[in-house]
Amino acid sequence: MTVPVAWAEPPAKLGVVNVSLLIEQAPQAKAASKKLEQEFAPQQKELEKLAKKLDGLQKDYAKNKLAMSATQRTAKEREIALLTREIQRRRSDIQELVNLRRNEELSKLQALINQAIREIGESQKYDLILYDGIAFSSKRIDITPQVLQYLQKRYKQQKAAFNR
């Protein structure tokens, strides 16, 4: 009697990645945040100067409004209102620019994360790597630490190349 030999394929190798954690902890993300802060620091300082000016105008108005004529009060109120609108407009413009730049940097980081996942998947022969919308995964198939290590190594290499 002969027993047929089953040529079963090995079980699929699965991996899961927590992209949110990578975006939060990757050195590239921290560098991008720092870069954005520096990039928009002059605009933030300008806003702070305008806010101090507005505060001074409001305090001066509150202190002296009883001694002002109706025309002077109206002029001062108009000046305060115009400066308030100017600050709001500038704040809104800066926030819009910051959001655009943040999205650009996030897009670069997501592309790098996808590249890291692809390279790890190919080099370690994964059949399937999932991310986004994972309700639960065991640590056994979570490759987030490996991807984070890849990103950290890549960041150090880029930094070393830049410093040469």
Side-chain angles (χ1 to χ4, degrees):
M1 174 164 113
T2 60
V3 177
V5 177
W7 296 99
E9 289 190 31
K13 187 172 179 181
L14 304 177
V16 174
V17 177
N18 183 339
V19 176
S20 299
L21 182 73
L22 293 174
I23 289 173
E24 181 183 308
Q25 294 185 357
Q28 291 88 343
K30 293 174 185 172
S33 289
K34 193 173 187 179
K35 180 180 173 183
L36 288 174
E37 279 179 29
Q38 291 172 345
E39 186 175 328
F40 290 99
Q43 291 93 326
Q44 292 295 341
K45 284 184 180 169
E46 183 65 29
L47 273 178
E48 289 170 13
K49 268 177 36 179
L50 288 174
K52 283 182 184 178
K53 181 179 177 183
L54 177 62
D55 187 52
L57 284 172
Q58 288 172 331
K59 285 179 181 175
D60 183 57
Y61 175 74
K63 180 180 168 187
N64 297 316
K65 73 179 177 182
L66 296 177
M68 294 179 184
S69 69
T71 307
Q72 289 173 321
R73 276 196 307 271
T74 302
K76 197 59 116 169
E77 289 167 357
R78 186 176 298 125
E79 183 181 5
I80 290 170
L82 287 172
L83 187 55
T84 300
R85 279 196 298 274
E86 175 70 14
I87 291 170
Q88 290 171 343
R89 186 188 59 75
R90 284 191 185 189
R91 188 173 286 138
S92 175
D93 290 348
I94 292 169
Q95 190 59 51
E96 187 176 331
L97 288 172
V98 167
N99 288 341
L100 285 171
R101 287 287 295 119
R102 185 179 294 124
N103 289 341
E104 288 172 8
E105 294 297 324
L106 184 60
S107 178
K108 289 178 192 176
L109 180 57
Q110 286 175 328
L112 183 59
I113 288 170
N114 287 334
Q115 177 186 352
I117 292 169
R118 227 178 345 283
E119 287 184 23
I120 289 170
E122 290 171 2
S123 70
Q124 296 185 16
K125 300 188 181 356
Y126 277 89
D127 295 304
L128 179 66
I129 298 175
L130 303 170
Y131 65 88
D132 285 340
I134 306 296
F136 171 80
S137 69
S138 72
K139 291 199 183 293
R140 189 171 60 89
I141 64 170
D142 186 358
I143 65 167
T144 304
Q146 292 169 284
V147 178
L148 184 58
Q149 283 179 331
Y150 175 97
L151 294 171
Q152 290 168 338
K153 182 180 174 186
R154 178 95 183 251
Y155 181 75
K156 286 178 186 175
Q157 290 170 344
Q158 289 174 331
K159 206 171 177 186
F162 181 75
N163 290 332
R164 288 183 196 172

